[in-house]
Amino acid sequence: MPRFAANLTMLFDEVPFRERYAAASAAGFAGVECLFPYEVPADELAELVAGLGLAQVLFNLPPGDWESGERGLAALPGRAAEFRDSVDVALHYARRLRCPTLHVMAGLVPEGATRDAMHRTYVDNLRYAADVVANDGIDLVIEPLNDRDVPGYFLSRVDAAAEIVAEVDRPNVGLQFDCYHVQIMDGDLATRLERHAPLIRHVQIAGVPERHEPDTGEIAYPYLFDLLDRLGYAGWIGCEYRPATTTGAGLGWLAAYAGRG
């Protein structure tokens, strides 16, 4: 049975970030995720999550200077020290929030950088981070992002992401399979879910092409949810979409899964 987590960066954006946790709980979500929780002190956020009985299931490592356009540090040559600091910050939050999974963003390809150098940097940094968080039982995930929404991102294909996971060769490193991104770049979602099922630690959904509710667009999500059940996927499904109007008005699709998590 699918377990859905509200992505609080995109959903319930009618209210300030802190208030989105209560809104998600009231809407029936048992889990939440977000891009970055760092605007709220870790202890304050942990108290909020625990008080609502929610599970914080995922967030991202600090991405560098997001406002100036940076989208991660892990594959950027020459910035290993900054990346290691970001691991420490994320681990602090993960411990307080009891969050089991962290997404490590690769970053955009900088001018003058070679893909070979970025690949080596990415693998080395992932190994470092995996070893740091292993004692806390935390998984790291990497996610390919489509080059329409995030042009220039280092990692855009799910098969390439699976190859990197294999090369990193750490038991706590796996895939974040975002159906929206994979559909845009590769398609053939069911086959790719089956192919990469042993590596998938987190799944995300949105309608394609508009990135609205998952009951809109070209993807047959009920079929994919049944497939994930057959594959034995027991993780969370993150609802990382932009509501077409308000979040509440677009939650009709969730009614079929009420009470399932």
Side-chain angles (χ1 to χ4, degrees):
M1 296 184 296
R3 297 188 298 161
F4 297 106
N7 185 290
L8 299 185
T9 302
M10 292 192 176
L11 300 188
F12 305 104
D13 64 348
E14 304 89 355
V15 298
F17 182 73
R18 286 175 176 83
E19 297 176 26
R20 296 175 197 178
Y21 284 85
S25 179
F29 288 99
V32 293
E33 61 178 38
C34 63
L35 294 186
F36 313 110
Y38 308 112
E39 66 182 68
V40 183
D43 288 339
E44 179 183 337
L45 200 54
E47 183 177 351
L48 175 61
V49 171
L52 290 167
L54 290 169
Q56 179 83 44
V57 304
L58 177 83
F59 59 86
N60 298 351
L61 268 64
D65 189 344
W66 184 268
E67 295 302 320
S68 71
E70 290 192 320
R71 293 297 182 265
L73 300 169
L76 304 188
R79 299 182 67 177
E82 190 177 351
F83 174 76
R84 292 186 177 202
D85 288 344
S86 79
V87 174
D88 292 340
V89 171
L91 181 57
H92 171 70
Y93 271 78
R95 285 170 171 165
R96 297 298 188 277
L97 293 168
R98 299 185 179 183
C99 182
T101 310
L102 297 172
H103 172 212
V104 183
M105 298 188 73
L108 305 179
V109 178
E111 185 176 354
T114 68
R115 293 193 67 85
D116 284 346
M118 293 188 72
H119 182 95
R120 291 193 300 271
T121 300
Y122 198 23
V123 170
D124 288 346
N125 279 336
L126 285 168
R127 287 173 176 164
Y128 168 82
D131 293 343
V132 168
V133 305
N135 287 338
D136 290 274
I138 293 171
D139 285 339
L140 302 179
V141 289
I142 63 173
E143 175 191 18
L145 305 181
N146 79 77
D147 57 17
R148 184 175 72 204
D149 288 352
V150 193
Y153 194 72
F154 177 72
L155 185 66
S156 61
R157 303 280 184 177
V158 70
D159 293 347
E163 290 174 0
I164 289 171
V165 170
E167 184 176 351
V168 170
D169 193 26
R170 294 293 190 272
N172 61 330
V173 176
L175 287 179
Q176 181 168 314
F177 193 105
D178 188 319
C179 296
Y180 170 78
H181 291 295
V182 177
Q183 173 70 2
I184 291 171
M185 294 302 298
D186 297 302
D188 204 13
L189 289 175
T191 298
R192 294 182 192 281
L193 281 168
E194 290 183 285
R195 179 185 305 158
H196 300 306
L199 302 179
I200 295 172
R201 309 294 174 81
H202 192 71
V203 173
Q204 290 178 323
I205 59 173
V208 177
E210 292 90 357
R211 206 173 192 176
H212 292 326
E213 285 78 359
D215 61 346
T216 65
E218 64 195 41
I219 300 177
Y221 276 112
Y223 176 87
L224 295 181
F225 296 155
D226 288 344
L227 174 61
L228 287 167
D229 282 346
R230 295 196 300 273
L231 293 173
Y233 177 74
W236 291 87
I237 297 176
C239 303
E240 191 184 42
Y241 62 84
R242 299 186 185 94
T245 56
T246 66
T247 303
L251 286 177
W253 67 271
L254 191 61
Y257 302 97
R260 298 190 182 189

